[in-house]
Amino acid sequence: MPIQIASPCVLVVEGEEDKRFFGALLRYLQLEAQVIPVGGKTQLRYGLKALVQSPRFYTVARLGVSRDADSDPRAAFQSVCDALRTLGLPFPADPFQIVEGCPQVGVLILPGPDTPGTLEDLCLEAVAQDPAMDCVERYFQCLRQQAIPVADSKISKARIHAFLASKPEPGKRLGEAAQAGYWPFDNKAFEQVKDFLKRLFR
């Protein structure tokens, strides 16, 4: 299905929850940008290609791309840059840098340029001092004591779900929680991401 471009400012993200999260963060920052999910990091290259092939891509003046670092932040960044290079688009030398061009382009690697992990880890950092997190940690300690396994690759997602169970409307996913105001966007954990979005889209 062709991508319909509706704004000169575009942020490409992995999935629907990322779209909800960044949509809420952009509203918090009073910034206007179209957030386009591509269906996961494995589809990022194809999503960018579809974006470039859109009849209205010529209207895009500012383009951001967000990707989880996973186990290797540098490899994640290089993967995005390789996709941009293949499509003849500008690409930055480092994460969170914005390179001039047509369009201007910046790449977000989450939770940070040198930190393995995901958007979930960034959100967990922001609520690390929340009293509910003490209960969350005791819960996972109890699971370990009972020899109940939790996959290491899913531990951040599991902690997110446990934390959100403490909220007035439990059961929300990460992006839905952002829309409900459950992530403290004024927390310093989000400063680098907020600064990037302001520089790219303001």
Side-chain angles (χ1 to χ4, degrees):
M1 185 175 180
I3 291 176
Q4 302 297 320
I5 295 173
S7 171
C9 297
V10 172
L11 180 64
V12 174
V13 300
E14 290 186 21
E16 288 295 333
E17 289 308 303
D18 303 75
K19 177 183 178 180
R20 293 185 179 97
F21 173 88
F22 279 104
L25 181 54
L26 287 164
R27 283 192 294 277
Y28 172 84
L29 296 172
Q30 296 183 317
L31 298 174
E32 294 287 339
Q34 181 181 2
V35 185
I36 298 176
V38 295
K41 62 181 67 67
T42 60
Q43 299 299 310
L44 188 59
R45 185 178 300 268
Y46 306 108
L48 284 170
K49 183 178 181 180
L51 180 72
V52 170
Q53 290 176 340
S54 169
R56 291 187 55 80
F57 182 70
Y58 73 93
T59 65
V60 177
R62 297 164 182 264
L63 172 63
V65 183
S66 174
R67 219 207 97 154
D68 286 342
D70 295 323
S71 61
D72 191 336
R74 201 68 205 175
F77 175 68
Q78 287 302 327
S79 174
V80 176
C81 289
D82 288 346
L84 293 168
R85 183 189 298 109
T86 299
L87 294 167
L89 294 173
F91 55 92
D94 293 292
F96 292 84
Q97 182 186 85
I98 296 167
V99 63
E100 294 297 324
C102 188
Q104 293 183 358
V105 177
V107 176
L108 271 174
I109 298 298
L110 303 173
D114 303 306
T115 307
T118 63
L119 176 57
E120 283 85 354
D121 292 293
L122 183 64
C123 292
L124 288 170
E125 181 184 349
V127 297
Q129 302 306 314
D130 189 296
M133 286 305 295
D134 288 336
C135 305
V136 171
E137 294 310 318
R138 287 200 297 272
Y139 168 68
F140 284 97
Q141 183 180 15
C142 178
L143 291 180
R144 288 191 294 271
Q145 290 172 345
Q146 298 298 322
I148 298 172
V150 178
D152 289 341
S153 63
K154 302 293 185 183
I155 190 66
S156 295
K157 288 184 184 293
R159 282 194 166 99
I160 288 284
H161 287 302
F163 172 75
L164 291 176
S166 72
K167 295 301 177 183
E169 295 183 62
K172 290 185 181 297
R173 302 180 69 172
L174 184 145
E176 295 170 331
Q179 293 173 327
Y182 293 164
W183 304 122
F185 286 144
D186 59 345
N187 187 276
K188 65 180 182 180
F190 293 119
E191 281 307 310
Q192 195 172 28
V193 174
K194 290 190 296 184
D195 175 69
F196 172 87
L197 295 173
K198 288 175 185 176
R199 285 186 289 116
L200 184 60
F201 295 136
R202 182 161 284 172

